[in-house]
Amino acid sequence: MQTLLKRWTHALLEWLGLTSATGDALDRWAAFVLVVLAAVVFDLLLQLGIVHGVRKLVERTRAKWDDTLFSVPVLRRMCHILSAILLAVVLPVVFEEKSTGRVIVLRFMEAYIVFSVFRFVNALLYAAFHIAAARPAWQNKPIKGLRQTAQGIALLICTILIVSILLDKSPAILLTGLGASAAVLMLIFRDSILGFVSGIQLAANDMLKVGDWISIPKYGADGNVEEVSLTTVKIRNWDNTLVMLPPYLLTTDSFTNWHAMQLSGGRRVMRSVAIDMTSVRFCTPEMLDHYRTIDLIRDYVDQTERRVEEYNAAHGIGSGERRINGLHQTNLGVFRAYLVRYLRNEVPVNKDMTLMVRQLQPTETGLPMQLYFFTDTVVWVDYEGIQSDVFDHVLAVIPEFGLRVFQNPSGEDVASLRNAFSPNAQTPPQTPPQTPPPASSQAAPQNAPPLHASRPAAPQRPQAEQPAPEEAKAPASASPE
């Protein structure tokens, strides 16, 4: 083989007119170039034959997974492996046995073969995980993180082999040296190692998937998961901002995953309205007659009133003792029954889930009446619309039951109280800046009380001391002459 290559190269040099005393060196480098060019041509022919041929066969099959597994990048990188093997076999023949050039070229060609195999394995892993991601069982799994982990392991193995080939050392020696520097490597690849372990935990426990809605208030994250990689979890908030978190934070800190709620078919409403406790009272016959005009609670009022009368009659309690003794309906109890029937009949709720109206612990801000139910939709806009419509109705219907909503006093309330205690009170007008009084003794006093100030009534003079009519018409602010 070596003699044949030398003849070809010597003939090529003679044809080019480059034969000289240094013919051996020129022959060697010309043969080197010829081998490289031949390998390039061989690679192109392989791609034309294998890539196009295999792709035509794959496209005829009904299965879809083989289109990805035998994709163009995978087939091309397989052809590169064959070309690298051809170079590794032929190139050393160009150089003399045991020469320095032969050793160097052989090492580089072995390293190139390892690198070509790594690129092929990398493309194969990408295709395999892409096929897995298309399957329903792996849908929305953190495939990218697992793929990056596998590619990272392949890259580590490739690096160790290439370094051992170039240094002509055993890979075991390099692994021993890496064990001694493990602390440094763990510090450098801390996020990658933690991300790898966390990615396995997230996938194994089904804690997080691409497309889930999660909330992490501590880190300002509240939105959909767009990507789970080896080192980053990308979350798009509802305001379209992006939050990047390392995966290990999701295993060490708590977060809320709303995906189960979205699958359940109902979203919870748990909101309360504060009732003024001073408006709670026993129902009078007039109040019960008014409640009977409400269709939703007509049957409830009649049934409850019959039960109350039967209980009171059994215990010898007369109908006139309605305030203290025996059982009596209250406007708050009737209102609570109305809310339960309103939610069941008038609101699009999920009837398979919990629905109740309950009282919470009374506080200084009133008695909280809580509505606890689930809507029949998980769409955010529809959910907020249902919730708003319900409490619009609740706030509007409360006065029909003789109840009041508790609310802290506002400026309007303070003004109403002032007007109640001082019906004739007026807001004092804006006074202009004061100027020194004029020298004339006829000027009005500057310190006259405002119009709204109360002044004591003047004592009645005897009839003889009443002023003349002309004097009575004089201005009160005029000084005596």
Side-chain angles (χ1 to χ4, degrees):
M1 184 70 179
Q2 185 176 7
T3 305
L4 183 62
L5 285 174
K6 284 186 176 182
R7 289 179 181 177
W8 288 352
T9 54
H10 185 71
L12 178 63
L13 291 175
E14 287 182 350
W15 180 73
L16 295 174
L18 297 176
T19 305
S20 64
T22 59
D24 291 340
L26 290 175
D27 288 348
R28 186 177 298 110
W29 287 110
F32 179 84
V33 173
L34 284 176
V35 170
V36 172
L37 290 175
V40 172
V41 173
F42 178 73
D43 184 74
L44 293 176
L45 293 176
L46 283 177
Q47 292 188 26
L48 289 174
I50 294 178
V51 175
H52 291 283
V54 173
R55 287 301 302 172
K56 288 182 179 180
L57 293 175
V58 168
E59 290 173 356
R60 293 178 180 178
T61 61
R62 295 182 179 180
K64 298 298 181 183
W65 60 269
D66 56 353
D67 295 342
T68 304
L69 186 62
F70 296 100
S71 60
V72 174
V74 175
L75 296 175
R76 284 181 177 176
R77 293 181 183 184
M78 184 180 66
C79 295
H80 293 336
I81 294 176
L82 298 178
S83 302
I85 294 175
L86 176 65
L87 282 174
V89 172
V90 176
L91 274 182
V93 180
V94 176
F95 299 92
E96 297 294 335
E97 190 73 23
K98 296 182 180 180
S99 63
T100 305
R102 181 188 178 94
V103 173
I104 295 175
V105 169
L106 185 61
R107 289 183 183 179
F108 273 103
M109 291 312 305
E110 290 176 353
Y112 179 66
I113 292 175
V114 173
F115 179 72
S116 300
V117 172
F118 163 71
R119 294 182 72 242
F120 173 72
V121 171
N122 194 19
L124 202 61
L125 287 173
Y126 185 87
F129 278 97
H130 186 75
I131 295 172
R135 295 184 175 274
W138 286 81
Q139 202 71 30
N140 293 327
K141 295 285 185 180
I143 297 294
K144 187 174 181 179
L146 297 177
R147 174 175 60 81
Q148 289 179 338
T149 301
Q151 290 175 338
I153 294 174
L155 177 62
L156 180 62
I157 296 174
C158 173
T159 304
I160 293 174
L161 291 177
I162 290 176
V163 172
S164 63
I165 290 172
L166 295 178
L167 297 180
D168 196 19
K169 301 291 183 181
S170 173
I173 298 176
L174 294 178
L175 291 175
T176 304
L178 290 176
S181 58
V184 178
L185 292 176
M186 290 183 64
L187 182 62
I188 296 174
F189 299 102
R190 173 179 175 272
D191 290 341
S192 299
I193 296 173
L194 291 176
F196 167 66
V197 177
S198 301
I200 295 176
Q201 292 179 352
L202 293 174
N205 299 323
D206 199 17
M207 299 169 60
L208 183 69
K209 294 179 290 187
V210 175
D212 286 359
W213 169 19
I214 66 172
S215 299
I216 316 176
K218 181 178 179 181
Y219 301 102
D222 184 18
N224 287 331
V225 177
E226 287 196 343
E227 184 179 292
V228 181
S229 64
L230 185 62
T231 57
T232 304
V233 175
K234 183 189 292 185
I235 304 167
R236 181 176 292 274
N237 290 335
W238 300 120
D239 58 356
N240 285 327
T241 58
L242 292 176
V243 178
M244 309 294 183
L245 298 175
Y248 60 84
L249 287 181
L250 301 180
T251 58
T252 57
D253 291 342
S254 61
F255 67 95
T256 302
N257 192 330
W258 298 88
H259 184 64
M261 178 274 296
Q262 294 174 331
L263 296 178
S264 67
R267 186 173 176 183
R268 185 183 68 177
V269 175
M270 187 176 63
R271 184 180 291 184
S272 59
V273 58
I275 303 297
D276 190 347
M277 290 181 285
T278 61
S279 63
V280 180
R281 61 179 61 87
F282 291 116
C283 294
T284 62
E286 293 78 11
M287 295 171 65
L288 294 177
D289 292 338
H290 173 67
Y291 297 153
R292 288 187 179 94
T293 62
I294 304 175
D295 294 337
L296 290 175
I297 56 172
R298 182 183 298 113
D299 295 339
Y300 168 81
V301 172
D302 292 338
Q303 293 174 5
T304 306
E305 190 64 17
R306 285 196 297 268
R307 183 171 61 87
V308 167
E309 292 175 354
E310 291 173 0
Y311 178 87
N312 291 340
H315 291 78
I317 301 172
S319 58
E321 304 178 32
R322 300 186 61 86
R323 291 296 179 183
I324 301 299
N325 300 327
L327 295 179
H328 308 286
Q329 296 193 64
T330 62
N331 58 347
L332 186 61
V334 176
F335 176 61
R336 182 162 51 87
Y338 169 80
L339 291 180
V340 173
R341 285 157 177 78
Y342 168 72
L343 293 176
R344 287 177 178 172
N345 296 279
E346 305 294 338
V347 179
V349 298
N350 192 320
K351 301 185 185 302
D352 297 330
M353 297 184 176
T354 306
L355 186 151
M356 65 177 174
V357 179
R358 60 174 180 169
Q359 299 178 16
L360 301 182
Q361 178 69 28
T363 64
E364 67 276 3
T365 58
L367 176 65
M369 182 70 70
Q370 186 184 78
L371 280 67
Y372 189 103
F373 64 96
F374 290 81
T375 62
D376 64 349
T377 179
V378 297
V379 180
W380 190 10
V381 176
D382 298 340
Y383 163 80
E384 292 294 344
I386 294 172
Q387 186 173 222
S388 300
D389 291 341
V390 167
F391 279 89
D392 288 348
H393 181 81
V394 170
L395 294 174
V397 82
I398 282 177
E400 296 293 329
F401 294 87
L403 297 169
R404 293 189 302 272
V405 178
F406 183 90
Q407 181 173 294
N408 290 326
S410 63
E412 186 68 22
D413 298 325
V414 175
S416 300
L417 289 174
R418 185 188 65 188
N419 294 333
F421 285 102
S422 301
N424 297 325
Q426 299 179 0
T427 304
Q430 296 292 334
T431 58
Q434 295 183 0
T435 55
S440 174
S441 60
Q442 301 294 329
Q446 296 297 322
N447 295 327
L451 295 176
H452 65 277
S454 61
R455 53 175 77 176
Q460 296 294 329
R461 296 184 181 181
Q463 188 67 24
E465 298 180 1
Q466 291 297 329
E470 292 78 10
E471 296 178 358
K473 295 179 180 178
S477 60
S479 58
E481 294 182 357

